[in-house]
Amino acid sequence: KQEVTQIPAALSVPEGENLVLNCSFTDSAIYNLQWFRQDPGKGLTSLLLIQSSQREQTSGRLNASLDKSSGRSTLYIAASQPGDSATYLCAVPLNNNAGNMLTFGGGTRLMVKP
Amino acid sequence: DAGVTQSPTHLIKTRGQQVTLRCSPKSGHDTVSWYQQALGQGPQFIFQYYEEEERQRGNFPDRFSGHQFPNYSSELNVNALLLGDSALYLCASSSRVARAFFGQGTRLTVV
């Protein structure tokens, strides 16, 4: 059974810092991995999707890497801003295929202080 | 193009009652999955609907049931509500194995 873990559970940093969020998964036979952002009480916004054949994906100040063999992914946020404050979730497909059946980690709650 | 829409946004029910939540998928999407997210936790997969049938189910009791209509919209029904059913319920849609898009969720409070 696939299990996804995120460390740390919460993180507080001053504005401008570069930071790394970690995600680990137990079954390396994944089809892809997604990072989501969730604002309090809201739905999920997809940030980045990395296919199993890729090593990383970039979008603006965000960079996500994937190491399938070690069962790890990292989300790097450059020059953090107060608007980045949110919960960040990583997820992998439930059954080693794509689509909308996902297993999520518990999330990292990020606070960026002005 | 409207994304995934869920209704209602908030709901308060009494223990033992039944509730129905609704989801309209993004245009062009034919597959809908439902998730339960307790406070401070990641979403947990409930079940997926495709071609009006439940295709896969997570670790949830039979009190949780669903339906998909010919226009691909979906309902989540929960019977005999428990206090522990209080959560944010999320709907995700996709075109079969393509990338998932999530709605804004329905906050259910059971008192």
Side-chain angles (χ1 to χ4, degrees):
Chain A
K1 175 189 173 188
Q2 178 74 270
E3 293 184 4
V4 181
T5 304
Q6 291 187 246
I7 294 173
L11 185 62
S12 180
V13 300
E15 182 177 5
E17 271 203 9
N18 302 322
L19 54 99
V20 174
L21 308 182
N22 296 293
C23 172
S24 61
F25 44 94
T26 54
D27 185 349
S28 63
I30 59 171
Y31 192 87
N32 59 40
L33 183 143
Q34 277 188 267
W35 283 93
F36 292 89
R37 169 182 171 139
Q38 185 175 35
D39 293 297
K42 304 295 185 182
L44 307 183
T45 300
S46 180
L47 298 173
L48 291 164
L49 183 150
I50 312 176
Q51 301 291 352
S52 61
S53 58
Q54 297 175 317
R55 295 283 292 183
E56 63 179 59
Q57 277 285 336
T58 298
S59 175
R61 295 182 292 108
L62 305 180
N63 176 277
S65 67
L66 175 63
D67 184 343
K68 279 183 56 178
S69 61
S70 67
R72 293 180 183 178
S73 176
T74 62
L75 179 66
Y76 176 83
I77 302 177
S80 59
Q81 302 171 358
D84 295 331
S85 298
T87 295
Y88 291 81
L89 295 152
C90 68
V92 297
L94 201 61
N95 289 328
N96 192 27
N97 56 30
N100 58 31
M101 293 189 297
L102 303 173
T103 298
F104 284 85
T108 293
R109 192 169 63 255
L110 172 66
M111 177 173 289
V112 181
K113 300 176 183 177
Chain B
D1 172 30
V4 181
T5 58
Q6 293 187 240
S7 63
T9 54
H10 296 86
L11 203 52
I12 299 175
K13 288 287 189 178
T14 303
R15 190 172 47 184
Q17 284 188 318
Q18 179 263 344
V19 68
T20 298
L21 311 182
R22 294 177 176 81
C23 172
S24 292
K26 183 176 170 64
S27 178
H29 288 181
D30 57 5
T31 306
V32 173
S33 287
W34 286 92
Y35 293 81
Q36 181 194 66
Q37 186 178 24
L39 201 60
Q41 298 182 19
Q44 299 291 316
F45 173 74
I46 303 175
F47 43 54
Q48 183 193 65
Y49 275 84
Y50 172 65
E51 293 185 334
E52 302 180 46
E53 290 189 11
E54 182 182 300
R55 296 294 175 170
Q56 187 148 347
R57 188 178 188 92
N59 188 26
F60 281 81
D62 292 344
R63 298 187 298 109
F64 290 77
S65 63
H67 189 77
Q68 186 178 36
F69 299 93
N71 66 353
Y72 308 122
S73 66
S74 177
E75 288 182 350
L76 164 65
N77 301 294
V78 187
N79 295 322
L81 283 167
L82 304 173
L83 297 179
D85 294 331
S86 295
L88 181 68
Y89 288 85
L90 295 164
C91 169
S93 76
S94 68
S95 176
R96 202 65 180 106
V97 294
R99 187 172 190 162
F101 288 79
F102 282 79
Q104 289 301 295
T106 293
R107 169 68 63 186
L108 172 64
T109 302
V110 182
V111 298

